[in-house]
Amino acid sequence: MQKNVFVIVLVLFVVGLAGGQEKAISQEEYSQNYFAALEKAREVPRRHISKEERFSDGRVVATREWLNEYALPFTSRLVYKERNDEGTKGFEEVSIDEATYCRSLNGVWKVSATACQRGRAVSTQQAFQPLGKISTKNMVEDVVTDGKKSKRYKEVIIYKNQSPNSTDKGAMRVAENTFWLDDKGLIIRQEITARIVGVKNPSLVWIDTYEYNPKGLEIVSPIK
């Protein structure tokens, strides 16, 4: 098993118009396409990378990263890292059939009776729907992504911040949730940004990228 080094690969992601035009759609249509794409993704071996950045006064104050790999039917690997002013921590998990193995970053592998639940990327496994919502606008557009035709779905939400621990509680905020589907209906990218209305700098940026049938994908038991 290779040493646990989380590598963020900068992927060239070019989006251009494909002769299409942005069209308004219902929130129901937006959500149906999103969840259908997630279901379809589960049928394909894949690598799913997530990164969340939280900002304060334009400065990144916390980062969370997930590297998820899935080899069908019941084999997966997860590497999780989080960074803030207190330092870096995380864990790695390998699941093969009914066996689960866990370790802290660069630690010793141990057999686990349950999954390593800490830090799982659940936020983007559902459409981003903050509390205090005032208005929602949903759109779809035919585009070209990395030279291939795709569909771009976008949701813009205006809401009043309800978080009791936030310094801007009660402020008007805007969240944009965008995802791209390829010509097979598979989700290939998702971006979420949130910011205070009238403020240029975001408070949150979340990006997911998906790679299907990735070359060299192999997940093996870390304990012989």
Side-chain angles (χ1 to χ4, degrees), residues 6 8 26 40 42 62 65 77 84 119 170 196 207 221:
F6 193 95
I8 297 297
S26 67
K40 183 167 290 197
R42 294 188 179 101
E65 300 169 350
R77 174 174 175 254
N84 53 39
I196 299 174
I207 296 177
S221 171

Side-chain angles (χ1 to χ4, degrees), residues 82-199:
E82 62 178 72
R83 301 182 182 91
N84 53 39
D85 293 339
E86 297 178 357
T88 300
K89 61 181 180 180
F91 71 93
E92 183 174 3
E93 171 188 306
V94 170
S95 295
I96 301 175
D97 295 325
E98 296 182 357
T100 300
Y101 310 89
C102 299
R103 70 171 179 174
S104 58
L105 293 181
N106 300 316
V108 177
W109 284 103
K110 296 180 180 180
V111 177
S112 177
T114 60
C116 308
Q117 296 293 330
R118 297 164 296 164
R120 285 188 173 275
V122 297
S123 296
T124 56
Q125 299 310 302
Q126 53 187 317
F128 187 69
Q129 297 295 331
L131 299 175
K133 185 165 56 177
I134 295 172
S135 67
T136 303
K137 183 179 180 181
N138 300 92
M139 297 148 282
V140 64
E141 184 176 11
D142 292 321
V143 298
V144 171
T145 304
D146 292 340
K148 299 178 181 179
K149 291 183 178 180
S150 64
K151 286 187 178 293
R152 179 175 59 200
Y153 290 82
K154 185 175 183 179
E155 180 176 55
V156 179
I157 303 172
I158 304 295
Y159 65 103
K160 190 173 183 179
N161 186 19
Q162 304 290 303
S163 175
N165 299 320
S166 176
T167 56
D168 65 336
K169 180 184 178 183
M172 297 296 294
R173 298 172 64 89
V174 56
E176 295 185 3
N177 184 4
T178 306
F179 66 90
W180 288 258
L181 303 184
D182 66 10
D183 57 0
K184 299 181 181 65
L186 289 167
I187 187 168
I188 52 178
R189 187 176 177 91
Q190 181 171 7
E191 297 179 2
I192 296 174
T193 62
R195 58 182 174 81
I196 299 174
V197 172
V199 176

Side-chain angles (χ1 to χ4, degrees), residues 51 167 214 219:
K51 183 174 183 179
T167 56
I219 303 170

Side-chain angles (χ1 to χ4, degrees), residues 22 72 86 102 205:
E22 200 169 68
L72 303 182
E86 297 178 357
C102 299
V205 174

